[in-house]
Amino acid sequence: MDTVFSWLENTWLAETVRSTAYLYPMLESIHIIGIALLIGPAAAFDLRLLGVGRKTLPVTTAAHHLLRLSHLGFVIATATGIAMFLPGANLIADRGSAPWKLGLILLAGINILIFHRRTYRNVADWDTNQPTPIPARCAAIVSLTSWTGVTIAGRLLAYT
């Protein structure tokens, strides 16, 4: 596996990030903006699934407005995260929080997939003025927990 990480560290993008003044801190800043756009709207949507604003905001309206921002944030965070990973792939991969971060991202992704493929399919039955079904509430809890864990593990990458 070290060979793969060594190869990644020697790509043109890794060399560009490593050798261009201020590029890495700019990527970090944009990464944080991406994280905010990803997790902020996702958390607001999760809170709606947990019942916040149930009588005033339909789930479909919340999904329509919030999840678009969340998707944009995911693209930004992913692109900048990969660009920041490349120059120090071996070092970062050896950190104890790296598998946690990637595992929690995977968990969040599986949770999103299951939610949208199963639970959200019958949203018309519980869109407004109805208690959110237990599977949707569970998905919200998994989402809030996993994205919080991703954030904590990501910060630990810099310090462990």
Side-chain angles (χ1 to χ4, degrees):
M1 198 60 136
D2 285 344
T3 339
V4 173
F5 295 133
S6 295
W7 179 81
L8 289 172
E9 286 181 354
N10 291 314
T11 60
W12 68 270
L13 183 55
E15 185 55 39
T16 301
V17 172
R18 207 176 9 258
S19 63
T20 304
Y22 304 110
L23 181 54
Y24 195 90
M26 288 301 297
L27 287 169
E28 281 183 310
S29 299
I30 296 167
H31 189 67
I32 291 168
I33 292 167
I35 292 167
L37 285 172
L38 165 63
I39 296 175
F45 181 70
D46 292 336
L47 291 173
R48 172 55 190 90
L49 291 178
L50 291 172
V52 175
R54 184 177 88 204
K55 297 195 188 268
T56 58
L57 182 63
V59 173
T60 52
T61 301
H64 177 75
H65 294 291
L66 295 171
L67 297 184
R68 286 182 180 183
L69 284 173
S70 201
H71 295 156
L72 173 63
F74 180 78
V75 169
I76 293 168
T78 301
T80 55
I82 290 169
M84 291 187 306
F85 172 75
L86 294 177
N90 276 304
L91 179 67
I92 294 169
D94 281 343
R95 298 213 166 128
S97 57
W100 282 98
K101 181 174 181 176
L102 293 177
L104 288 166
I105 290 170
L106 182 61
L107 174 64
I110 291 168
N111 183 53
I112 291 166
L113 187 64
I114 291 170
F115 174 77
H116 284 285
R117 294 267 169 111
R118 293 191 177 188
T119 310
Y120 194 74
R121 291 181 123 187
N122 64 354
V123 69
D125 297 339
W126 48 274
D127 194 21
T128 36
N129 292 326
Q130 297 296 319
T132 307
I134 291 173
R137 286 186 269 160
C138 289
I141 291 167
V142 170
S143 175
L144 289 167
T145 305
S146 59
W147 288 119
T148 299
V150 167
T151 304
I152 292 167
R155 290 310 307 142
L156 287 172
L157 283 176
Y159 301 105
T160 57

